[in-house]
Amino acid sequence: MAGPTFVPAVFYKDPMAAIEWLQRVFQFEVAALITDPQGKLAHSELTFRGGGLNVGGEWEGAIVGPARMRSPATVEGINTQFVRIHMDEGIDAHCEHARAQGANVTDGPEDQFYGSRTYRVVDPEGHVWNFSQDVGVVSGEEIEKATGLKIHTSLEAARS
Amino acid sequence: MSAPAPRPSVVPLLWYDKPREAIAWLETALGFESQMVVGGDEGASSIPS
């Protein structure tokens, strides 16, 4: 089976603890976990309902040029991404499980004006997780009317 | 615009200082296609494919 096209990578000060947390709280599954001779994490691949995720430790090196991979816990909570997880069903039960396991649920579950039900979690090192499930079909015109925003199908259309 | 691909279950959402410039760069440099662009320069967001 072909793998997912997009696979986000998230970095932690303690990636082994993060993997344990992601399994216990979000019910992610470990598909591959590679360690070095000292037992430190070298590479990991997690899956959830057909999606994929890499979890790693903080690192830097020539192959990423000037970039430095850091946990939000190292940079005062700063994030440069969310990870959004789309669910076909069961978002409320998933949230209840996460909350029961001690997750910091910062928002929801709540129906959104664009036809999704969402909830958000900030994990122990500060990464933001955004779970969503479709609960209705809302047209672009309805969203524009409700928000005053304009929806375009390309950057060129947005510029014109 | 190409037809929307099946929705992946795990998607990163990236934040930029200049999101429209970032979207343009992602299209020209990496071959992404925008499916949806919402909002102005300050709050532009997109769903790329």
Side-chain angles (χ1 to χ4, degrees), chain A residues 79-154:
Chain A
N79 274 261
T80 62
Q81 69 167 14
F82 281 2
V83 183
R84 191 183 76 195
I85 295 98
H86 177 75
M87 304 177 69
D88 290 331
E89 48 83 25
I91 191 168
D92 282 27
H94 191 266
C95 181
E96 284 179 24
H97 174 85
R99 202 189 300 270
Q101 292 292 320
N104 178 15
V105 178
T106 59
D107 181 57
E110 185 176 18
D111 291 352
Q112 305 295 335
F113 65 86
Y114 45 83
S116 295
R117 186 168 180 80
T118 66
Y119 86 94
R120 294 181 177 85
V121 168
V122 175
D123 75 17
E125 291 202 21
H127 289 288
V128 180
W129 301 84
N130 182 0
F131 291 85
S132 70
Q133 178 181 317
D134 291 343
V135 291
V137 178
V138 182
S139 71
E141 289 78 11
E142 289 173 303
I143 294 173
E144 288 181 336
K145 190 174 180 181
T147 64
L149 296 169
K150 291 293 292 180
I151 298 175
H152 311 276
T153 54
S154 70

Side-chain angles (χ1 to χ4, degrees), chain A residues 6 8 48-52 80-86 134 149-156 158-159, chain B residues 1 7-15 20 23-24 27 32 34-40 47-49:
Chain A
F6 290 101
F48 181 74
R49 303 193 184 190
T80 62
Q81 69 167 14
F82 281 2
V83 183
R84 191 183 76 195
I85 295 98
H86 177 75
D134 291 343
L149 296 169
K150 291 293 292 180
I151 298 175
H152 311 276
T153 54
S154 70
L155 191 58
E156 289 72 25
R159 284 170 167 160
Chain B
M1 183 180 77
R7 180 185 293 183
S9 55
V10 179
V11 179
L13 281 73
L14 308 179
W15 308 105
R20 290 199 182 206
I23 293 168
E27 291 181 346
F32 284 73
S34 289
Q35 289 186 354
M36 183 187 295
V37 178
V38 182
I47 300 175
S49 62

